[in-house]
Amino acid sequence: MTAIRKRANTLPAHIAHDRVVQCLQQAEEALAYASCIDQVRLVMDVAAAQEVFATRQRMGEAVIGQAHALKVRALVKLGELLKDLPKATGRRLAGREPGSNKGVGGSRSAPPTNDATYAELGVTKKLASVAQQLAALPAATREAIAQREVTLSQARREVKAKEVTKRVSLPDAKYRVLYADPPWSYHDKADAGAVQAGGAERHYPSMSIAELCALPIPALCEPDAVLFLWVTSPLLCESFAVIKAWGFSYRASFIWDKVRHNMGHYNSVRHEFLLIGVRGSCQPDVVKLFDSVVSEERTTHSKNPDTFRAIIDFLYPRGKRLELFARGAVQGWDTYGFEA
């Protein structure tokens, strides 16, 4: 093996380059005729290996890009094949009795059916996920990834942003004050023990963190603006990603003491956070320090006390104001929301 490596290292660069190109051309032809997962995986493995080799040998962007493009196209085809598979129940042989090494007629040579698990197909869950994500993208986007113009993560964020923008019709204006109570997705699915007992989606269509981050909120804001964002304890950490994606930096918070308790997984929950984020410079117009904890008994689901809006109105009497995900029309505010 050492001798083989030495010969490879002493191979003239132009010959090594030509062999890589020839190998990639043969693999590309094989991919065109590949009809099963094993064949596609083989092409993908060849392309990945040649990409690594070409990179280490500094063969240039052309051959490295050729290998990368072939790898991506093989991944796309793998994703398409995996998508068409029936739900995996474990590999079984056609006509084979469960728990038996023989077929119904006693034969040991029955061919496998297509209901094998990913592991039995030699495909990891991560690889299957990436392949199916690629296959689900538009053809033009897939080719852009193949040509290394964008990464898969960038492409998925762009697609998600377009989907959200198409679904969500936001106001066409610039605002100084924003107030938001997002329809956070808790993944509780009506879990009676969750903080949002009964399931948030029973009350309104929820949005994932990625969908919230993809909203074009920065385009709605003045250079100097303030954001007041409601969030509960389970999603406190994730909320900072939303604040950042909307173009704000965290500054402070209020706490709403709801008086009445909700059953949580770790404690009995009776509070909610109203986070304050700032874009540019936007300290209050009126110098008055309100108590950071407000005790007011909760009423209906997701109905926040009007006290907090009154505090905001008092501190920021100037500038256009927008309430996102509002429950109804409010005087002096533009509103957007499922119920509004």
Side-chain angles (χ1 to χ4, degrees), residues 167 182-185 200-207 325 338-339:
R167 194 175 71 221
W184 305 101
S185 177
E201 294 194 9
R202 286 188 177 182
H203 302 274
Y204 45 73
S206 63
M207 297 177 71
F325 316 108
F338 176 63
E339 294 183 27

Side-chain angles (χ1 to χ4, degrees), residues 99-175:
S100 170
N101 289 328
K102 295 183 178 180
V104 175
S107 170
R108 293 177 180 268
S109 58
T113 60
N114 288 329
D115 60 347
T117 63
Y118 288 154
E120 290 168 335
L121 291 170
V123 178
T124 64
K125 288 184 178 179
K126 182 177 180 180
L127 177 60
S129 175
V130 170
Q132 291 180 88
Q133 287 173 22
L134 277 167
L137 293 171
T141 305
R142 297 198 301 252
E143 190 57 28
I145 295 172
Q147 299 303 324
R148 297 188 295 175
E149 296 170 4
V150 295
T151 65
L152 174 59
S153 296
Q154 289 171 336
R156 291 189 67 224
R157 281 198 296 269
E158 289 176 6
V159 169
K160 178 66 72 175
K162 289 178 181 177
E163 290 175 352
V164 172
T165 303
K166 188 182 297 184
R167 194 175 71 221
V168 176
S169 178
L170 292 168
D172 182 18
K174 295 289 186 181
Y175 297 91

Side-chain angles (χ1 to χ4, degrees), residues 301-333:
H301 181 88
S302 194
K303 176 67 171 68
N304 301 317
D306 292 334
T307 302
F308 290 97
R309 188 197 307 280
I311 291 174
I312 297 170
D313 285 336
F314 184 90
L315 294 176
Y316 291 93
R318 294 191 291 274
K320 286 182 67 66
R321 55 201 61 231
L322 170 67
E323 181 175 357
L324 294 163
F325 316 108
R327 299 177 65 91
V330 179
Q331 186 175 1
W333 289 73

